[in-house]
Amino acid sequence: MTEAAYDTDNIFAKILRGEIPSHRVYEDDAVIAFMDVMPQGPGHTLVVPKAPSRNLLDADPSIFGHLLSAVQKVALAVKKAFGADGVTVMQFNEPASGQTVYHLHVHVIPRFDGIPLKPHTGEMEKPEILVGNAEKIRTALKN
Ligand code: AMP
């Protein structure tokens, strides 16, 4: 089956253009990272390349090295910020896999022994909680 084209009005494209707000924790020339508004656990962060692609399947492979370095940076920061026991890194491609936003992104979720993930795209988190969690991650990224 042929996959749909990249939609320049997807919600992460709008966040990248600054048209809608996000709780941003990291940015460089090629990547941004911000809090997932429906976290599957405290500190759930999304790492998003600036280059447009629908998902992993149509992305230019030249972006992957830097993207994965940024994922590692954010994973280390969330682990430290939340005193986590581990970190889950996930990425979905097309609806059958669970993808709901069609701009490539990587989920980075702190994990704690014996505590399961909450459902994917479950409940909206309170903005004040996201503000506090973003600040913890920014602080961990500085140290
Ligand atoms: P996926 O299903 O892999 O495409 O994941 C999309 C993720 O984006 C979900 O975990 C949503 O909770 C999250 N999400 C949707 N809208 C926003 C938004 N405006 N800001 C931050 N995260 C969002």
Side-chain angles (χ1 to χ4, degrees), residues 15-82:
I15 287 175
L16 282 164
R17 292 196 295 266
E19 293 169 7
I20 62 168
S22 66
H23 300 281
R24 209 168 281 210
V25 296
Y26 176 77
E27 176 162 14
D28 64 28
D29 286 351
V31 160
I32 65 169
F34 51 86
M35 305 314 294
D36 194 304
V37 290
M38 289 174 265
Q40 291 186 251
H44 182 166
T45 302
L46 300 170
V47 181
V48 181
K50 292 183 176 178
S53 75
R54 192 173 153 83
N55 53 42
L56 185 86
L57 305 175
D58 62 331
D60 181 339
S62 68
I63 73 167
F64 293 148
H66 183 80
L67 176 60
L68 204 57
S69 295
V71 166
Q72 184 192 41
K73 201 182 288 249
V74 170
L76 288 166
V78 300
K79 187 170 183 295
K80 184 172 174 184
F82 293 89

Side-chain angles (χ1 to χ4, degrees), residues 11-12 15 20-22 34-40 44 46 91-92 98-102 105 107 120-122:
I11 201 151
F12 293 170
I15 287 175
I20 62 168
S22 66
F34 51 86
M35 305 314 294
D36 194 304
V37 290
M38 289 174 265
Q40 291 186 251
H44 182 166
L46 300 170
Q91 190 277 319
F92 304 119
Q99 186 177 9
T100 58
V101 177
Y102 297 97
H105 54 279
H107 298 259
H120 185 55
T121 61

